[in-house]
Amino acid sequence: MGPDRADLSDIDGFWSAPIAERAAAFAALRERDPIPFYPEPQFSYVAPGPGFHALTRLDDVLEASRNAQVFRSGRGSTSIADMPGEFREFFGSMIGMDDPRHARLRRIVSRGFTPRRLGQLTEDVELTARQIVDDVIDDGKCDAVTEIAARLPLKIVCDMMGIPESQYRFVFDRTNVVLGAGDPEFVPDAENIAAALLQAGAELAGLMRELGEFRMANPTDDVTSALVNAEVDGERLTPDELASFFILLVVAGNETTRNAISWGLHLLSEHPDQRAVWLADLDDVTPTAVEEIVRWASPVIFMRRTCETYTVLGGKQLRAGDKVALFYWAANRDPAHFTDPDAFDVRRTPNPHVGFGAPGPHFCLGAHLARREMSVMFRELLTRIPDIHATGQPHRLRSMFINGIKHLPVAFTPGGTR
């Protein structure tokens, strides 16, 4: 699949092709046409737009991310297409804002993510990871996505916000719809994707509005209590802002960590030599292995920006109003910055990946927590069931936005070997 045949708008062609073919196509684009232009993907619920420029080199992605005055997020960031206005009610949190509104909201929500509060989560993450392994260790096999990878971030995010365990499944199912709307497993009716998205967003928003109202009068030590009572320069979050932030947090914190852990298990199965390196020195290798999994998997494939003014990027002239897609997945395989970029190397150093977004105002607020969750989960797996391995290929999500795995069958020695 060379650059002449690569169609980055083709979900069932390009984005469903084998990973190696995708990597080869991006490599060819970087060489011959690093900022190609494509027509927009077609969706039944939104009118087709004018097309978009794709950034495939790390340097271009970094420049666009840092220059937020020119490359703006307010017209849409998670979709190439301009979403209808009603979508922004639920999916219009910080990730789709520009300063000064973005800075205001980030200052307020940062009150709920202080180092002290995140430090308190360390024990919760360890206890949860241990329980997850306890629940499967005697079975000898399981679906690594639904029974291992998805459970850790779901519980941590819900517990942070004060969502009761009885609502975990409710949150899990709705986040699957939000990021998997284009996959028939999660939204079987392709003619009603917009309705499914809006319903999932409305239900998650309703859950948080109800909890937020209760926490205003009955505060506890959870993040929801901190957010509804946080005041910065005389401003508080509105109920709608709280609801849309919760959707961002639960979707981003749930799906991306889940997929990184799932891809990590797949990669360790495909590369037993790297598993051996990691097992030989867990303390030293875990930090670099986690970064390498995030780089290789790139769970969030792209983010979109819109040019505010005429500019030149990577030798390409861009006009005001032009859409630009920052393909993190491609940037994380740029040979100008990564030696043997398609290889999986748990000791890779340096590793200047943009798997959590690039430096700039939209760098992932939860990057530290995601790293912690992955480190703890893999330590638990590799010390208690070190022979865990995939017994089939990943069942990949139908999406050009999330590099997701829906299911991954794995097997291991029942009862563990350590």
Side-chain angles (χ1 to χ4, degrees):
M1 191 188 300
D4 296 332
R5 296 178 57 197
D7 181 358
L8 304 194
S9 295
D10 186 358
I11 297 176
D12 290 315
F14 183 84
W15 294 106
S16 297
I19 296 293
E21 287 188 24
R22 181 195 300 177
F26 272 124
L29 284 171
R30 277 191 299 269
E31 287 292 321
R32 290 180 50 187
D33 187 10
I35 308 182
F37 183 82
Y38 291 97
E40 296 188 20
Q42 299 297 303
F43 300 101
S44 59
Y45 51 89
V46 63
F52 68 99
H53 300 273
L55 306 188
T56 64
R57 294 182 299 201
L58 181 60
D59 287 336
D60 296 333
V61 168
L62 291 173
E63 182 176 345
S65 298
R66 291 177 176 133
N67 192 355
Q69 295 303 309
V70 172
F71 296 94
R72 310 285 276 176
S73 300
R75 299 189 194 180
S77 61
T78 60
S79 170
I80 301 293
D82 294 327
M83 291 291 99
E86 59 267 31
F87 279 71
R88 290 194 287 272
E89 178 183 352
F90 306 124
F91 311 120
S93 190
M94 295 189 306
I95 204 169
M97 292 181 186
D98 299 308
D99 288 341
R101 190 180 176 209
H102 171 268
R104 166 194 166 271
L105 191 59
R106 187 155 181 142
R107 282 197 303 270
I108 295 175
V109 302
S110 293
R111 295 294 179 91
F113 295 88
T114 61
R116 181 190 66 83
R117 190 178 298 278
L118 292 176
Q120 291 172 342
L121 287 173
T122 297
E123 184 177 354
D124 293 340
V125 173
E126 292 173 351
L127 289 173
T128 301
R130 189 175 308 137
Q131 184 62 56
I132 288 169
V133 175
D134 284 346
D135 290 345
V136 301
I137 197 168
D138 292 326
D139 297 337
K141 63 180 181 179
C142 69
D143 181 339
V145 178
T146 60
E147 296 178 67
I148 296 176
R151 289 182 58 195
L152 178 61
L154 177 68
K155 176 172 171 55
I156 295 303
V157 169
C158 285
D159 286 355
M160 281 174 57
M161 298 300 290
I163 304 297
E165 186 174 355
S166 60
Q167 298 285 359
Y168 287 2
R169 186 71 202 189
F170 173 90
V171 172
F172 177 75
D173 289 342
R174 272 97 189 136
T175 57
N176 279 339
V177 171
V178 172
L179 286 182
D183 192 301
E185 179 172 339
F186 300 124
V187 181
D189 187 356
E191 298 301 317
N192 288 297
I193 291 177
L197 276 168
L198 289 172
Q199 181 177 348
E203 290 175 342
L204 287 171
L207 175 66
M208 182 45 55
R209 287 194 187 101
E210 182 178 338
L211 180 61
E213 183 177 343
F214 183 75
R215 286 290 186 259
M216 285 283 289
N218 303 276
T220 65
D221 195 36
D222 59 31
V223 172
T224 298
S225 297
L227 294 181
V228 297
N229 293 291
E231 186 173 303
V232 176
D233 298 330
E235 292 191 88
R236 294 174 177 264
L237 290 180
T238 68
D240 286 347
E241 287 173 335
L242 175 66
S244 64
F245 174 71
F246 168 66
I247 294 173
L248 170 63
L249 178 67
V250 77
V251 169
N254 202 352
E255 294 278 349
T256 52
T257 308
R258 171 212 305 198
N259 288 309
I261 293 172
S262 301
W263 278 114
L265 287 170
H266 166 73
L267 288 165
L268 291 176
S269 303
E270 295 284 299
H271 302 277
D273 60 319
Q274 296 301 301
R275 179 198 299 265
V277 170
W278 196 348
L279 277 168
D281 191 353
L282 273 171
D283 288 340
D284 189 52
V285 176
T286 294
T288 55
V290 165
E291 298 301 322
E292 178 68 345
I293 289 170
V294 174
R295 179 197 74 87
W296 198 98
S298 298
V300 176
I301 295 173
F302 77 89
M303 282 289 177
R304 173 194 144 195
R305 302 289 184 262
T306 306
C307 292
E308 182 73 10
T309 62
Y310 168 85
T311 189
V312 177
L313 177 66
K316 175 81 74 170
Q317 296 183 21
L318 302 172
R319 301 164 301 175
D322 279 359
K323 297 180 181 181
V324 176
L326 287 61
F327 279 101
Y328 304 134
W329 199 95
N332 282 339
R333 285 167 170 75
D334 188 340
H337 294 271
F338 302 97
T339 302
D340 196 6
D342 292 319
F344 175 60
D345 179 3
V346 294
R347 284 191 176 274
R348 184 182 294 276
T349 305
N351 193 346
H353 70 79
V354 288
F356 293 114
H362 288 283
F363 183 78
C364 178
L365 184 67
H368 176 76
L369 178 58
R371 289 181 170 113
R372 183 63 186 163
E373 289 175 344
M374 292 177 63
S375 297
V376 170
M377 192 74 253
F378 277 107
R379 180 180 292 272
E380 195 73 15
L381 291 168
L382 291 173
T383 54
R384 298 183 63 194
I385 44 176
D387 64 342
I388 185 171
H389 61 281
T391 57
Q393 288 300 305
H395 296 213
R396 289 162 51 195
L397 181 71
R398 182 184 180 273
S399 174
M400 68 175 288
F401 179 60
I402 294 294
N403 190 35
I405 299 180
K406 300 182 293 182
H407 305 286
L408 181 69
V410 297
F412 46 87
T413 301
T417 57
R418 289 192 178 188

